[in-house]
Structure formats: structure tokens, C-alpha cells
Amino acid sequence: MALLYRFAQLPDRSGTRVFSFVVTRSVVRDPERDVTSKELVCGFQRWAVAFSRGDKKRARNKRSDFDRQMLGVYLVWRGAAPGLKVYVDFTFTLLNREHFSVNEGFSGKRVKFTYEAPAQGNRNYISISDLYTRNFADPNGEFQLELSMANVRTIFSCEVGIPDESSNADDVDLRPKGGSTMFPSGGPKVDKIETEYFAFGGFDWNLVVYPHGNKEDRGSIEGGMSFYLVRMTGFDHRCRVRYIVSLGDGTKRFDSGALEDINDAEGRGYGWHPKIRWAEVAHKNVLKVSIEMLEARTISEVLVQALGPGSLPATPCYDKEKQAWAIRADMHSTTVRLGLVYKDIHNVPRNHLRYVSWTAYLIRAGESATEIVSLPGAPFSRYYAQENADEGIIMETSIGVNDVKGDDCPFVTEKGQIRVRIEWLESHLLFQATYHKYDDVCRVHNQQMRREIAALQAENYSLERQLFSYQKSLAYAQAQQQQSGDEAEAPSHPGSHHQSNQHQSAHLERSASTDTEYA
């Protein structure tokens, strides 16, 4: 393995994720092959890090073959599809073994990844020789690389069209427009249009449009449009999804705002039924549709036995990776506690860690089951190494044990069960089983201090630039004032003007040299 996925840091307040890699010596010693990491997930998209080798052309005739070889690094998007665009801020950083101030990095803001350009990076990141001479690589030829990512946005855009009712269906062009395929269901009057698939959150999705509304759905108005975000894969779980739909373009543009939906086990949600009609947003019977995907979380809902004789049984559930878990109610305290046990902990690969994070909710009993209450301390997270059994993690609730035993507790069903929702957030398989949750604190502090120092350095540089500008303005004003005085005394001091210019010129040269040090 040439690129080892070592560490994944939880997002901070700015939403920044940090991924660390240990890069083995085979990356620099094997010039014939490019190296790509295992996939990682950030912003609900799949990514990989890739290295390339090449020569720096301008040094081809002046340096040895080894010295002129350049190491390139790229961020590769794995979910590319026609019509789908992803924007991301990312930074690559080579960690120096002596001091963080000489780390080598490059970054990009709002970098666009498309179906045509799924990889972005720097092909001349650093020379192979500099890895050793500048103390990035250790004696074994291994070095560490960090990737930070933030502000990941996923947008799918397409154009859908329907024929005029007066047109002949055989004469209508329904070919794909803007990267989407349209599938009319029927003759001249199209009742349903489906876009192409796109990837998000580990699932494939598409958008189903009913130009004249869906008669089977009571939420749509007569003659109004209906939109459904349909999940095409992963039917083992329900999914909570958030998204924004935009219709039309220019003055006819109409935005839905943030929508939240529960995607059922069949991949269908409640949909969006705007109180507008096709003609109000379409141009020449062609409608531009754009959907920005915000979030897609897999959920597991289980009924946990809270009342009954003897020992309370555990209820099984499964996460997105089909790993087995079990949840049990603990009634031996003043409040109800829920114990979550990782049943497949013995399946974690040897010398690896599985990092898992989740959020847990209680759902009020009833037919609607719409009100949910987050558990104190959420979200929860833990690192799991290969063990024979998991001791479990205890999640506190705000429900008193005596309240549960009463007849009017809204969280308990008639059968004495509590409905619990587990929302699976993150799951990463990391190399080396020596990391612990307590190490997170040092890593987070490290990132915070480096960002603060970089911000202070940038502020200091800006102040130095302002000071130099002020010095130039002051010197220029003094020169103008001196020149006016010299002109008034020109008959009695013929050489003073020349001497003043020489002095002023020397002053500006000193200021310019000071600015060069900070450029």
C-alpha cells in the first residue's frame, strides 16, 4: 500500500475536514506508475488523492534525471456524472519533520469539479530531491501529507422539455439538453419526465418532474407542477435528505428554499409542489432545473423494549455499511439510558480503525411520529479496533424511569417500547490501530494554532504593506515640500535641489528594499 489513510478529523465550526496520509517510498521510487489512495468521503461525495511523476521542462538540460523529477498531487472526484458539478475549497500540505513554518502547501478556493474535469491539483508540487534535502521524508523515504476540505457544494443542472399540445409527437425533439436525459411517458402530452442519475451521499438519485402535477398526490395543486427527488439505490434504509430546487432562469427563476424530506425504503419522499405552473417558468416549453444537494443521512428506526418482565432484550439494527449493531434500554438509573453495541467489531480489519459517528433521537409515539427529540450529548463518536466483543456506549436520555412506567408517557407505545432513531453521520476505515479519541484534542489544537498563526502572518504582511505605502506617501510629500523651498532659494543655493533629490532617492531605495523582504 503506497498511500495510507491515517486520520480523519471531525469538521470544526467552519466545516473544515482534515485527512492525513502516510505516503510510502514506492511513490517516489516507482516512476512508471501513478499512485491513488483509497476513497474517502467528504461533503457527501467520494474522493481520492492521486500522485503523478514528471519532469520539469525548464530544468531538463541542467540537472540530473532524479533532480528534475517533479511530484504532482491531485484531488480526484469519484462521483462524476453529466450535468453534475461540485465546488470545494481544498488545501494540500506536506508536513516538514523539523518545523511547521516550512511546510509546503498549495490551496484552491471554490474549485470546480465536473464530468469533463474530475481531477484538480498541481503537477509540479515539489521536486523529488527536495523531499529529502528539505527534510520532508524520513530515512525510510516516507512522508506525511494533509488534505483539508471545506465548503463542498453539489449542484445538478439540466433542461427538461415537453412538446406543445398542438405539435405532432413524431416531430418533437426530446433529446437530452444540458446533460440530462428525458423519458416521456406517453404521447404528445408528457405527464412525467425523469432526469439522469447523479451520485450524492453514497446513493444514486434522479429528479422526477410532473409538468402538470401528480394526480395521485394530494399535495399538488390543480395544474401545478410536482417534483420528487428519488433515490435509486440503497433501499435497505430510510434516508433524511435536504436540498434546494431552482426552476427557470433570469427573471423567471423560482427557488424553493431549503427542503427537508424523509426518503422511504422505496426511495420516494413527499416531494415539492410549488404553486406555480409550467408556463410561468419555462421558456419555449423548455425548463431549466437545478438542484443543490445539502445533506443525505441514512437513518435506522427501531423499537426498543423499555417495559416488561425480566431482562430487557436488545434490538438489532444496521448502519449504511451493513454493519450489525444492537441497542438496549437501561432502566437501572433515574433516567432511561440507551446502550449501543457494535456487534461486528470482530470484522474490523487487523491493524485498522473504524471511526463511526451518529446522532440519536427519541420519537413521540403516535401515528404521525413527526416529533423527534435529540439525545443529550449528541453527536456521538467512537474509534473501533478489532476485538472479540464491544463493551458498548451509553447514551443518556431526558426521560425519567418513573415517567416511562406511567400511563401517559408520550414516548412509550402500548407495548412498552421506545421508538429510537439512529442517524448515521460518518464512517471511515483508518490505517493503524494505535489512535484514540483522546488524540483528537491534540490534532484539533494543532490545526487551530496553525490556522491562527497563518492568519496573523497574513495580517502582519498586510500591515507592512500599508506601512511601506505610508512611507512612500510621506517621502513624496517631503520631496515636494523640499522642492518648493529649493525653487524659492534657487539663486543663492544652486546645488541644493540636486542634493535633496539624491537624499530622497536613497530614502525610497531603502523603503523599496524593505518591501522586497516581505513580498
Side-chain angles (χ1 to χ4, degrees), residues 10-11 240 297 338 340 355-362 372-382 393-398 420-426:
L10 276 174
R240 183 178 65 84
R297 303 290 191 189
L338 300 174
L340 185 65
Y355 170 79
V356 184
S357 65
W358 66 90
T359 299
Y361 304 89
L362 295 179
I372 61 175
V373 178
S374 177
L375 266 59
F380 306 95
S381 63
R382 192 167 178 179
I393 182 173
I394 298 297
M395 300 180 292
E396 301 284 348
T397 73
S398 57
V420 180
R421 173 184 294 181
I422 303 293
E423 187 172 301
W424 305 102
L425 304 180
E426 305 282 348

Side-chain angles (χ1 to χ4, degrees), residues 102-158:
V102 288
N103 290 347
E104 187 73 24
F106 75 94
S107 61
K109 295 289 186 181
R110 283 188 55 80
V111 180
K112 182 169 70 171
F113 292 77
T114 64
Y115 180 71
E116 294 76 17
Q120 302 288 347
N122 185 353
R123 65 178 179 179
N124 294 320
Y125 187 17
I126 191 172
S127 66
I128 301 299
S129 60
D130 283 350
L131 285 175
Y132 298 92
T133 58
R134 294 171 56 188
N135 207 20
F136 289 105
D138 62 16
N140 295 326
E142 297 181 347
F143 57 93
Q144 296 182 67
L145 178 74
E146 279 188 357
L147 166 65
S148 63
M149 302 176 66
N151 301 323
V152 183
R153 296 183 62 196
T154 300
I155 300 175
F156 177 75
S157 301
C158 63

Side-chain angles (χ1 to χ4, degrees), residues 144-201:
Q144 296 182 67
L145 178 74
E146 279 188 357
L147 166 65
S148 63
M149 302 176 66
N151 301 323
V152 183
R153 296 183 62 196
T154 300
I155 300 175
F156 177 75
S157 301
C158 63
E159 290 184 351
V160 295
I162 61 174
D164 294 329
E165 295 184 1
S166 58
S167 303
N168 190 334
D170 297 333
D171 299 331
V172 176
D173 184 9
L174 286 175
R175 289 176 298 178
K177 298 178 178 67
S180 70
T181 303
M182 296 168 291
F183 302 96
S185 60
K189 185 176 180 179
V190 178
D191 296 326
K192 176 182 176 182
I193 303 172
E194 297 185 26
T195 68
E196 285 188 351
Y197 302 157
F198 59 91
F200 184 80

Side-chain angles (χ1 to χ4, degrees), residues 14-277:
S14 64
T16 302
R17 293 297 309 264
V18 180
F19 303 91
S20 298
F21 299 88
V22 175
V23 187
T24 62
R25 60 185 178 181
S26 61
V27 172
V28 298
R29 292 192 176 185
D30 189 356
E32 301 299 326
R33 71 183 184 96
D34 294 338
V35 177
T36 303
S37 72
K38 291 183 178 180
E39 290 184 354
L40 56 96
V41 177
C42 183
F44 303 95
Q45 292 291 345
R46 296 178 295 112
W47 308 86
V49 175
F51 283 100
S52 67
R53 296 279 297 275
D55 293 343
K56 201 169 185 179
K57 295 182 180 179
R58 64 183 177 86
R60 188 177 296 277
N61 299 322
K62 299 181 181 179
R63 302 167 66 182
S64 66
D65 289 343
F66 182 78
D67 289 341
R68 72 169 182 251
Q69 289 179 356
M70 303 298 296
L71 185 68
V73 63
Y74 301 87
L75 180 60
V76 183
W77 175 36
R78 291 302 197 190
L84 190 63
K85 299 185 292 292
V86 174
Y87 299 88
V88 61
D89 301 339
F90 70 87
T91 300
F92 280 105
T93 305
L94 276 173
L95 302 185
N96 191 274
R97 299 176 65 244
E98 289 185 348
H99 200 271
F100 74 90
S101 63
V102 288
N103 290 347
E104 187 73 24
F106 75 94
S107 61
K109 295 289 186 181
R110 283 188 55 80
V111 180
K112 182 169 70 171
F113 292 77
T114 64
Y115 180 71
E116 294 76 17
Q120 302 288 347
N122 185 353
R123 65 178 179 179
N124 294 320
Y125 187 17
I126 191 172
S127 66
I128 301 299
S129 60
D130 283 350
L131 285 175
Y132 298 92
T133 58
R134 294 171 56 188
N135 207 20
F136 289 105
D138 62 16
N140 295 326
E142 297 181 347
F143 57 93
Q144 296 182 67
L145 178 74
E146 279 188 357
L147 166 65
S148 63
M149 302 176 66
N151 301 323
V152 183
R153 296 183 62 196
T154 300
I155 300 175
F156 177 75
S157 301
C158 63
E159 290 184 351
V160 295
I162 61 174
D164 294 329
E165 295 184 1
S166 58
S167 303
N168 190 334
D170 297 333
D171 299 331
V172 176
D173 184 9
L174 286 175
R175 289 176 298 178
K177 298 178 178 67
S180 70
T181 303
M182 296 168 291
F183 302 96
S185 60
K189 185 176 180 179
V190 178
D191 296 326
K192 176 182 176 182
I193 303 172
E194 297 185 26
T195 68
E196 285 188 351
Y197 302 157
F198 59 91
F200 184 80
F203 304 116
D204 288 336
W205 308 79
N206 78 338
L207 194 63
V208 177
V209 183
Y210 290 85
H212 306 291
N214 183 10
K215 297 179 180 180
E216 299 178 359
D217 198 313
R218 298 179 181 179
S220 59
I221 65 172
E222 185 177 355
M225 293 186 292
S226 295
F227 296 84
Y228 295 90
L229 182 63
V230 180
R231 181 160 48 103
M232 311 302 296
T233 56
F235 300 137
D236 295 331
H237 291 83
R238 300 173 70 194
C239 180
R240 183 178 65 84
V241 59
R242 295 177 62 242
Y243 58 97
I244 300 173
V245 179
S246 298
L247 307 176
D249 199 4
T251 58
K252 289 188 173 183
R253 185 181 177 91
F254 185 84
D255 295 329
S256 67
L259 303 172
E260 182 168 326
D261 205 347
I262 297 296
N263 209 263
D264 60 23
E266 296 180 356
R268 201 73 177 267
Y270 304 120
W272 178 49
H273 312 283
K275 296 181 180 180
I276 56 175
R277 289 171 171 78

Side-chain angles (χ1 to χ4, degrees), residues 390-412:
D390 177 30
E391 62 183 11
I393 182 173
I394 298 297
M395 300 180 292
E396 301 284 348
T397 73
S398 57
I399 308 176
V401 172
N402 293 331
D403 295 334
V404 171
K405 295 179 180 180
D407 297 331
D408 57 349
C409 182
F411 293 99
V412 180

Side-chain angles (χ1 to χ4, degrees), residues 278-343:
W278 175 271
E280 298 176 18
V281 289
H283 178 68
K284 295 183 179 180
N285 259 354
V286 174
L287 177 62
K288 182 178 180 180
V289 181
S290 178
I291 179 170
E292 179 175 356
M293 302 293 293
L294 303 178
E295 195 175 10
R297 303 290 191 189
T298 300
I299 59 177
S300 300
E301 289 190 5
V302 294
L303 291 171
V304 181
Q305 194 68 41
L307 299 176
S311 176
L312 297 176
T315 304
C317 63
Y318 297 86
D319 63 16
K320 185 178 177 180
E321 280 75 27
K322 298 183 179 181
Q323 298 289 296
W325 300 74
I327 185 168
R328 184 195 304 268
D330 181 0
M331 309 295 289
H332 299 88
S333 182
T334 57
T335 59
V336 178
R337 301 190 299 176
L338 300 174
L340 185 65
V341 177
Y342 183 21
K343 303 296 289 185

